[in-house]
Amino acid sequence: MSPRDLMGNLPRGKFVVLLFFCYWVFAVTASLTYDRKAVIIDGKRRILISGSIHYPRSTPEMWPDLIQKAKDGGLDVIQTYVFWNGHEPSPGKYYFEDRFDLVKFVKLVQQAGLYVHLRIGPYVCAEWNFGGFPVWLKFVPGISFRTDNEPFKAAMQSFTEKIVSIMKEEKLFQAQGGPIIMSQIENEFGPIEGRLGAAGKTYAQWAAKMAVGLDTEAPWVMCKQPDAPDPVIDTCNGYYCDSFRPNTKYKPKIWTENWTGWYTQFGGPVPRRPAEDLAFSVARFIQNGGSFVNYYMYHGGTNFGRTSSGLFITTSYDYDAPIDEYGLLNEPKWGHLRDLHKAIKLCEPALVSADPAVTQLGMNLEAHVFKTDSGACAAFLANYDTKYASKATFGNGQYDLPPWSISILPDCKTAVFNTASVGSLNAGKEMTPVDGEFTWLSYTEEPASSSEDDTFTEYALWEHLNVTWDSSDYLWYMTDVNIDPDEGFIKSGGSPILTAMSAGHVLHVFINGQLSGTVYGSLNYPKLTFSNSVKLNVGNNKVSLLSVTVGLPNVGAHFETWNAGVLGPVTLQGLNEGTRDLSLQKWSYKVGLKGEALSLHTVSGSDSVEWAKGSLLAKKQPLTWYKTSFSTPAGDDPLAFDMSSMGKGQVWVNGQSIGRHWPGYIASGRCNDCNYAGNYTEYKCQTNCGEPSQKWYHVPRSWLIPSGNFLVVFEEWGGDPTGISLVKRGTKTVSA
Ligand SMILES: *[C@@H]1O[C@H](CO)[C@@H](O)[C@H](O)[C@H]1NC(C)=O
Ligand SMILES: *[C@@H]1O[C@H](CO)[C@@H](O)[C@H](O)[C@H]1NC(C)=O
Ligand SMILES: CC(=O)N[C@H]1CO[C@H](CO)[C@@H](O)[C@@H]1O
């Protein structure tokens, strides 16, 4: 009988892990089960505090410190997604090095004495390129993502098995003495299941069964999946989860994503979530019987390279998390939550043994009391009012409760913590410029244009991703436009109007080598239309449209079918003939930039072109590459580039991409006052309006050498590199 068979026979969906084959190998018999109250580790029900840290969003050199800070902050568990497109860049060719060294990451968590919740997915959403799916998956014949589709299920199963088998080989599951106490299959599938009809339902059941069949001897969860079949636990994601109920009475109440803040998009403001409200939401979940809380994100980090998605997601994935993008403590949030976790842990014996008795103490006032037969007692006193503080009478005491707050009484007498009373120090961000200026060299590439020997031509407009397979953000659409000397606009000195419709995300229009205009979409509306008068000469004119993607979609039903690029129509208005439709004339295609083909971001590649310097340095020029070298400042403060003088493009240091820069996209939003009280949404507490959505770009110290660091910037639409500076990130402490 395998543990799986055993599980199936157990009443009430519980399962017990018995080590039939290898129990003599380990000194202790590890066991992992759950019941309606909590996850049970080695026979003990546990209140578990978890936090998301995504390994590729920082460097291996940063991992030990991030994990230690998470531990010091009172975490028991580190949760991460597994990033399929990072691990299987082409079918069957796996990559587990460097930032994708998953085994190393899990082992570091283990060494710190923490557990791991491994969210394999392999759909991860996560504002990560294509939701974690490799782009080649889109081109598997007959594929349809996340539904009852054989090619998709085969690929998903094969990757899931690969990850599970690596974890088993390395003995990383808890039953083997490892840190992984929980896994996840799929991700937030419930909300789209209904739209897929019967196939959605079948797929969800298949995914659960497939995962359970892998015999990891640790529970699987499916978040936002109300029909998750036993023994898979359905869990909650959201800003608040206190009213969430698992789909059976014998599953614990787990919160897999408690959003600590929110992501930033280019063009959007930077959201903040007040520490008071975050602590309130966690206390509320626990007082309602929750036993596993995960902070999404605990460290958000950086979308290096071209890994960001959701379309228009910024390179920074700071998320206003308790540990900031740079690995520094985000105070007062980190400290306030640490104090909350201490208070919750003091209540653990009562929380895991008793169910809460809820009593009204007055208007908007409630007490949740956990009292056990053995005499343990813990109480949570809540004030839900968003405006008024209250004095609550409870037991023999009087308790002051600020608005929208919960006090925690681990002995039912003494309030040791209130979610709205922030004891830790506030700390602002400080970016200090590092001495020394860069000496820049520039190289401006010509816009590509159609020529006689183009091999890649078609009498049609092609979809962008269909051509690039995301090997580059850039795709050139090139055509020729012949203008007769008799054209009326030539005689009158006017100009015709070129209109080009694109499914997104950015379009630069070049006419005869000159930038004629740039248009771009936004996260909520990636589509765009260029429509402008253009200067055309008699004879042949070169029209070159540079279509640019800003990450592939990561969310929505069948996002694999979403298009990008110039799908047309493309027209020219104001000719003698009226409007000329260019859509079906001959187009040439070129994937990527010349500088990309030459690897100008590397030292050896950069030798292949002539660079201009001094008075010839290109400024405010589109399609321009810049290079310089610099020394690493002493100390260990995290470093960033202030890119505010630039427009849009990409930055590399020593050949490594630190991500897309786009300070030219200014944040619009409503940066109102931020009152912590009341239900949080990402539209509250916005910051940074009127400023670039992102002007600082993290450069990990581990990518630097003491001197002679090679810095390359590619600029799409025009910027002034002499304004770029290297800054150190520090914290300036101001009292709360
Ligand atoms: C995709 O590219 C192929 C050639 O590689 C072409 O035949 C097809 O029409 C293209 N589809 C779209 C939607 O552009
Ligand atoms: C907060 O949201 C919950 C759930 O939607 C709602 O029941 C409650 O009334 C809201 N509270 C306030 C103060 O807006
Ligand atoms: C449905 C939804 O909005 N899900 C989001 C939950 O939050 C995570 C983290 O930001 C996102 O990845 C999901 O898209």
Side-chain angles (χ1 to χ4, degrees):
M1 192 203 251
S2 77
R4 180 165 32 136
D5 300 328
L6 182 66
M7 251 156 51
N9 296 337
L10 269 178
R12 309 200 317 162
K14 276 191 194 180
F15 64 88
V16 176
V17 174
L18 300 179
L19 300 171
F20 293 99
F21 309 111
C22 46
Y23 64 91
W24 57 88
V25 177
F26 305 108
V28 288
T29 304
S31 85
L32 202 49
T33 80
Y34 64 76
D35 67 7
R36 68 185 187 85
K37 290 295 290 176
V39 172
I40 302 171
I41 304 177
D42 295 333
K44 252 181 88 179
R45 282 182 181 150
R46 297 289 305 273
I47 300 291
L48 294 170
I49 312 284
S50 169
S52 291
I53 300 179
H54 294 160
Y55 50 99
R57 285 178 157 142
S58 54
T59 60
E61 291 77 7
M62 291 170 72
W63 294 343
D65 182 56
L66 296 176
I67 294 165
Q68 187 59 42
K69 281 173 172 154
K71 185 177 187 183
D72 296 344
L75 262 51
D76 306 294
V77 183
I78 302 294
Q79 186 199 73
T80 183
Y81 281 130
V82 176
F83 297 86
W84 187 359
N85 52 10
H87 292 304
E88 198 178 352
S90 54
K93 298 254 181 329
Y94 293 100
Y95 180 78
F96 287 95
E97 310 288 312
D98 195 33
R99 285 187 293 120
F100 290 91
D101 193 342
L102 175 59
V103 167
K104 179 173 185 172
F105 182 77
V106 172
K107 286 186 174 171
L108 284 169
V109 175
Q110 179 178 28
Q111 280 160 27
L114 301 182
Y115 296 119
V116 169
H117 179 197
L118 196 66
R119 301 173 84 190
I120 299 178
Y123 168 66
V124 300
C125 195
E127 290 73 61
W128 186 263
N129 202 31
F130 223 29
F133 288 143
V135 176
W136 54 259
L137 196 65
K138 175 179 155 79
F139 299 96
V140 169
I143 203 144
S144 186
F145 285 8
R146 302 178 73 200
T147 187
D148 191 13
N149 168 273
E150 293 309 324
F152 178 77
K153 289 191 302 184
M156 169 168 169
Q157 177 161 2
S158 137
F159 180 71
T160 307
E161 282 171 358
K162 173 84 185 172
I163 295 300
V164 167
S165 77
I166 291 175
M167 295 300 124
K168 281 187 182 174
E169 266 163 43
E170 299 283 344
K171 305 215 184 314
L172 293 175
F173 284 103
Q174 199 263 356
Q176 303 171 291
I180 304 173
I181 54 163
M182 214 184 268
S183 302
Q184 175 175 304
I185 194 73
E186 250 296 339
N187 186 45
E188 295 192 340
F189 182 68
I192 69 164
E193 180 176 317
R195 287 188 256 159
L196 299 175
K201 181 105 194 150
T202 317
Y203 164 69
Q205 303 298 310
W206 167 83
K209 226 177 140 183
M210 183 270 285
V212 171
L214 298 176
D215 289 330
T216 62
E217 309 180 25
W220 288 85
V221 306
M222 292 178 89
C223 59
K224 289 196 177 178
Q225 189 69 48
D227 60 357
D230 290 356
V232 174
I233 309 169
D234 58 316
T235 66
C236 177
N237 290 355
Y239 289 120
Y240 305 91
C241 278
D242 45 292
S243 53
F244 169 78
R245 297 274 167 276
N247 63 9
T248 69
K249 280 188 285 201
Y250 42 81
K251 291 177 186 173
K253 188 163 157 174
I254 296 182
W255 191 355
T256 32
E257 284 191 22
N258 163 19
W259 302 326
T260 56
W262 200 245
Y263 53 77
T264 304
Q265 66 201 63
F266 285 120
V270 180
R272 301 269 168 233
R273 185 175 186 184
E276 294 91 334
D277 176 59
L278 184 52
F280 177 72
S281 69
V282 172
R284 232 166 106 166
F285 181 69
I286 299 287
Q287 74 171 7
N288 282 296
S291 58
F292 185 113
V293 182
N294 178 67
Y295 294 99
Y296 188 103
M297 298 294 299
Y298 197 77
H299 169 257
T302 310
N303 292 312
F304 296 113
R306 302 191 302 114
T307 58
S308 78
S309 174
L311 314 174
F312 300 91
I313 298 298
T314 52
T315 294
S316 169
Y317 198 66
D318 181 80
Y319 227 89
D320 198 22
I323 304 176
D324 77 9
E325 177 180 4
Y326 299 87
L328 302 179
L329 301 183
N330 177 10
E331 296 288 27
K333 197 176 265 188
W334 182 88
H336 190 50
L337 295 176
R338 175 203 52 202
D339 297 346
L340 166 71
H341 304 151
K342 279 187 192 155
I344 291 173
K345 284 302 165 82
L346 290 172
C347 304
E348 189 171 9
L351 292 175
V352 297
S353 306
D355 290 325
V358 184
T359 48
Q360 301 294 319
L361 301 178
M363 180 119 121
N364 284 328
L365 295 179
E366 245 174 33
H368 291 235
V369 181
F370 296 77
K371 206 170 170 153
T372 69
D373 297 340
S374 59
C377 186
F380 289 64
L381 307 184
N383 177 7
Y384 303 119
D385 200 282
T386 55
K387 288 206 184 72
Y388 302 106
S390 272
K391 220 180 238 320
T393 306
F394 174 75
N396 299 325
Q398 291 255 317
Y399 300 86
D400 288 318
L401 296 174
W404 199 252
S405 81
I406 292 174
S407 280
I408 300 179
L409 289 57
D411 59 355
C412 285
K413 291 195 187 80
T414 325
V416 300
F417 181 86
N418 176 276
T419 57
S421 312
V422 178
S424 33
L425 292 180
N426 206 341
K429 264 194 228 67
E430 205 170 32
M431 292 296 206
T432 330
V434 172
D435 286 345
E437 281 186 4
F438 297 120
T439 306
W440 292 98
L441 283 74
S442 68
Y443 166 75
T444 301
E445 68 171 77
E446 291 291 312
S449 64
S450 63
S451 71
E452 288 305 311
D453 49 4
D454 282 333
T455 49
F456 198 3
T457 64
E458 186 62 57
Y459 288 82
L461 289 165
W462 274 352
E463 198 275 327
H464 183 121
L465 297 169
N466 189 22
V467 184
T468 63
W469 282 44
D470 201 35
S471 60
S472 164
D473 280 0
Y474 303 99
L475 176 65
W476 287 103
Y477 291 74
M478 305 165 290
T479 196
D480 291 341
V481 172
N482 229 305
I483 296 298
D484 201 89
D486 295 338
E487 284 293 348
F489 79 85
I490 295 281
K491 296 186 187 134
S492 68
S495 33
I497 294 179
L498 178 74
T499 302
M501 315 269 266
S502 164
H505 311 144
V506 179
L507 188 68
H508 302 292
V509 174
F510 292 85
I511 307 286
N512 296 322
Q514 296 298 312
L515 181 62
S516 181
T518 290
V519 273
Y520 46 92
S522 63
L523 183 137
N524 293 327
Y525 202 73
K527 289 192 174 133
L528 52 95
T529 303
F530 172 88
S531 192
N532 219 338
S533 55
V534 289
K535 201 178 159 317
L536 296 177
N537 310 318
V538 171
N540 186 29
N541 293 271
K542 298 280 179 200
V543 174
S544 308
L545 309 178
L546 181 58
S547 174
V548 191
T549 48
V550 191
L552 273 52
N554 66 309
V555 63
H558 290 299
F559 62 78
E560 78 273 21
T561 60
W562 296 12
N563 292 328
V566 186
L567 299 179
V570 179
T571 60
L572 200 55
Q573 245 176 298
L575 305 179
N576 291 351
E577 68 201 81
T579 299
R580 191 187 296 177
D581 189 354
L582 308 182
S583 316
L584 294 178
Q585 65 174 43
K586 184 166 147 191
W587 288 86
S588 306
Y589 293 86
K590 190 169 185 304
V591 176
L593 303 164
K594 183 176 172 194
E596 288 180 304
L598 295 172
S599 293
L600 294 188
H601 67 289
T602 64
V603 175
S604 57
S606 85
D607 286 341
S608 58
V609 297
E610 287 287 329
W611 295 78
K613 58 182 174 201
S615 60
L616 296 177
L617 182 76
K619 285 185 193 170
K620 305 270 173 207
Q621 287 291 312
L623 303 185
T624 301
W625 295 79
Y626 295 99
K627 69 170 184 177
T628 189
S629 68
F630 67 97
S631 298
T632 303
D636 51 16
D637 301 309
L639 300 171
F641 292 113
D642 181 338
M643 299 294 293
S644 5
S645 66
M646 303 303 283
K648 178 181 184 300
Q650 215 180 320
V651 185
W652 296 262
V653 174
N654 297 329
Q656 301 252 32
S657 167
I658 69 170
R660 299 185 182 96
H661 71 269
W662 196 352
Y665 211 155
I666 302 300
S668 70
R670 290 204 322 235
C671 292
N672 301 333
D673 287 351
C674 177
N675 178 359
Y676 77 86
N679 285 331
Y680 177 78
T681 77
E682 61 271 27
Y683 303 103
K684 240 176 114 172
C685 302
Q686 299 187 331
T687 66
N688 224 37
C689 298
E691 302 280 319
S693 294
Q694 187 182 353
K695 72 176 192 183
W696 292 303
Y697 294 80
H698 180 207
V699 46
R701 275 201 180 255
S702 58
W703 289 359
L704 301 179
I705 48 179
S707 64
N709 293 293
F710 186 62
L711 168 60
V712 173
V713 175
F714 170 68
E715 175 59 43
E716 272 169 41
W717 72 23
D720 180 357
T722 61
I724 299 175
S725 59
L726 183 61
V727 296
K728 281 191 204 179
R729 184 169 177 96
T731 30
K732 62 173 182 243
T733 307
V734 282
S735 52

